[in-house]
Amino acid sequence: MASDTDEPADVGGWLGLIVPSSNATAEPEFRRALPDGITVHSARMELESVTVDELDAMSDDAARAARLLGHADVDAVAYACTTGSLIHGPGFDAELEERLADAAGVPAVATARSVVRALEALEADRIAVVTPYTAALDAKEREFLAAAGFDVASIDGRGLEANTAIGALTPDDAVRQVLDHVDGAAADDLDAVFVSCTNYRSLAAIERLESKLGVPVITSNGASLWDVCGVSGLEGDLDGLGTLLECERS
């Protein structure tokens, strides 16, 4: 980040956030979890429904969004869309991060890859996954996670396509969905639970779920935030990420 003698003393850094146009969750969850002094600056990509075709088209707009955030001299960029960063299969997430970093001129992370890093940091192998998605997207997510080396014990989706409907879900909805899908006995056979989708308001559910299930729980925004702070070099305590907070990004 460029130095500036006029920079306010209470600003410790800038994070760039790339989100789908219909996402109303990632920005407030990032801001709530970040310490004072680290600010969030967003760029948006067009997306109304969470479908294969719209996600495919949206990924073409990612580099433009990253380039615009680079104009703001941000310290790092997070691409906050889970299925948008795995839609083209294994390897696309890493390729997307490279494209975004080149466009912005700073380190970049993409949610799907951030989730993999978070699960690896937790030394998780066998996982359960909860999503708001349709069966078609759940299948793509299962394929991606399996290719990354994880044993996906189960995956449960809500069947939603409209992203505004996903954004209307609450942390209580996330708690109920996870607990309906993963009972305490089943959790004994898991290393972690993953709540997918950056527009699913689930960050505030992490600590409740970890307390009830006794296993680490990660969310898309939680993993993305943990990851982008790791590459940005910015310092400060994050809030509400549960067990993941104890892990360092490798």
Side-chain angles (χ1 to χ4, degrees):
M1 184 173 61
S3 62
D4 188 336
T5 56
D6 296 326
E7 178 186 324
D10 61 345
V11 175
W14 289 269
L15 288 180
L17 184 63
I18 301 174
V19 293
S21 56
S22 50
N23 186 310
T25 299
E27 291 146 311
E29 286 203 332
F30 265 58
R31 290 188 179 110
R32 192 173 300 118
L34 284 165
D36 293 341
I38 298 179
T39 58
V40 179
H41 307 276
S42 303
R44 307 184 90 77
M45 308 171 292
E46 185 171 352
L47 182 88
E48 290 188 71
S49 298
V50 187
T51 64
V52 172
D53 288 344
E54 287 204 33
L55 288 165
D56 185 25
M58 185 186 72
S59 66
D60 294 334
D61 200 27
R64 177 201 61 84
R67 185 173 64 255
L68 295 180
L69 287 171
H71 294 172
D73 205 16
V74 296
D75 295 280
V77 168
Y79 178 97
C81 184
T82 317
T83 48
S85 51
L86 60 78
I87 192 68
H88 295 297
F92 176 68
D93 53 332
E95 177 186 312
L96 178 61
E97 288 186 338
E98 292 181 6
R99 283 199 289 125
L100 298 178
D102 287 345
V106 295
V109 303
T111 298
R113 192 67 196 158
S114 296
V115 168
V116 170
R117 292 188 184 106
L119 290 171
E120 288 177 343
L122 289 165
E123 298 183 348
D125 178 25
R126 186 170 173 81
I127 63 173
V129 182
V130 166
T131 87
Y133 310 135
T134 61
L137 286 177
D138 282 345
K140 286 188 174 291
E141 183 145 32
R142 179 189 284 273
E143 177 186 358
F144 170 81
L145 290 167
F150 302 105
D151 176 10
V152 181
S154 60
I155 187 165
D156 178 69
R158 287 179 172 269
L160 298 177
E161 285 191 355
N163 209 20
T164 50
I166 294 173
L169 297 171
T170 68
D172 288 340
D173 290 320
V175 169
R176 283 191 291 269
Q177 186 180 3
V178 171
L179 295 181
D180 286 348
H181 182 61
V182 182
D183 63 34
D188 291 341
D189 192 38
L190 298 173
D191 298 314
V193 173
F194 168 41
V195 183
S196 185
C197 188
T198 62
N199 203 28
Y200 196 166
R201 283 188 287 160
S202 50
L203 195 65
I206 289 176
E207 292 179 352
R208 279 185 283 168
L209 287 170
E210 288 193 341
S211 176
K212 288 180 177 293
L213 296 174
V215 297
V217 175
I218 67 168
T219 71
S220 290
N221 283 331
S224 300
L225 183 57
W226 168 83
D227 199 21
V228 74
C229 285
V231 302
S232 69
L234 300 177
E235 296 183 356
D237 294 331
L238 299 175
D239 183 48
L241 271 61
T243 305
L244 186 59
L245 276 175
E246 302 169 10
C247 302
E248 290 188 7
R249 184 188 187 278
S250 59

